[in-house]
């Protein structure tokens, strides 16, 4: 009985770590641009798949900001009563729950010039309910630096593949107990 309980605890912990490792950092507008009026942000959003646990990284100059707004304020480019305001050039926002979120630049005229995104986050298979994914903040403090990009693989093996193989080996060892 104790071995089965230990096995279940190990499997749950491995699944949680595996899911966090699969989270993706989306640098808004990258690779061709950033959070500015010259980047085709709508095309960028359309090319992305946002999952619970992922993070948005906004990189911008001091003449911009990031406002999270309601759907109505997004549609009208209204900066009144934002849900959250971020400044400082580097803003990291965790996508901790499924659903739509709306972001605009509060600088006069920028939203009308296309500096706005609607992010539709979907739940990944096995995603814990909203509010129960520790370690994934809903928003980090303005001005915080985004994490460094993951190291490039010289042999073409992805991080996901390495984690899957490692998880499989761990399960085989646990089953051998």
């Amino acid at each position: 009985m104790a071995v089965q309980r230990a096995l279940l605890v190990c499997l749950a912990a491995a699944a949680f770590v595996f899911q966090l490792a699969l989270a993706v950092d989306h640098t808004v507008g990258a690779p061709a641009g950033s959070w500015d009026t010259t980047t085709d942000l709508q095309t960028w959003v359309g090319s992305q798949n946002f999952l619970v646990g992922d993070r948005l990284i906004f990189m911008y100059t001091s003449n911009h900001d990031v406002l999270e707004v309601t759907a109505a304020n997004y549609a009208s480019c209204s900066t009144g009563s934002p849900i959250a305001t971020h400044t400082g050039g580097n803003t990291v926002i965790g996508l901790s729950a499924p659903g739509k979120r709306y972001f605009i630049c509060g600088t006069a005229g920028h939203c009308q010039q296309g500096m706005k995104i609607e992010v539709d986050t979907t739940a990944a298979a096995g995603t814990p309910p909203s509010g129960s994914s520790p370690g994934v903040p809903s928003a980090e403090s303005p001005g915080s630096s985004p994490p460094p990009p993951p190291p490039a693989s010289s042999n073409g093996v992805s991080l996901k593949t390495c984690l899957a193989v490692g998880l499989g080996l761990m399960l085989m060892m646990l089953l051998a107990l």
Side-chain angles (χ1 to χ4, degrees), residues 40-57:
D40 183 354
L41 295 168
Q42 303 317 306
T43 299
W44 177 82
V45 166
S47 70
Q48 304 298 306
N49 183 28
F50 303 102
L51 299 175
V52 170
D54 290 357
R55 299 185 319 167
L56 296 175
I57 301 173

Side-chain angles (χ1 to χ4, degrees), residues 87-102:
T87 60
N90 292 315
T91 299
V92 179
I93 297 176
L95 301 175
S96 58
K100 292 187 178 188
R101 293 176 71 179
Y102 305 90

Side-chain angles (χ1 to χ4, degrees), residues 45-80:
V45 166
S47 70
Q48 304 298 306
N49 183 28
F50 303 102
L51 299 175
V52 170
D54 290 357
R55 299 185 319 167
L56 296 175
I57 301 173
F58 292 86
M59 297 174 61
Y60 50 97
T61 58
S62 62
N63 62 323
H64 300 296
D65 57 13
V66 178
L67 304 182
E68 183 168 2
V69 297
T70 64
N73 285 354
Y74 175 84
S76 65
C77 285
S78 174
T79 59

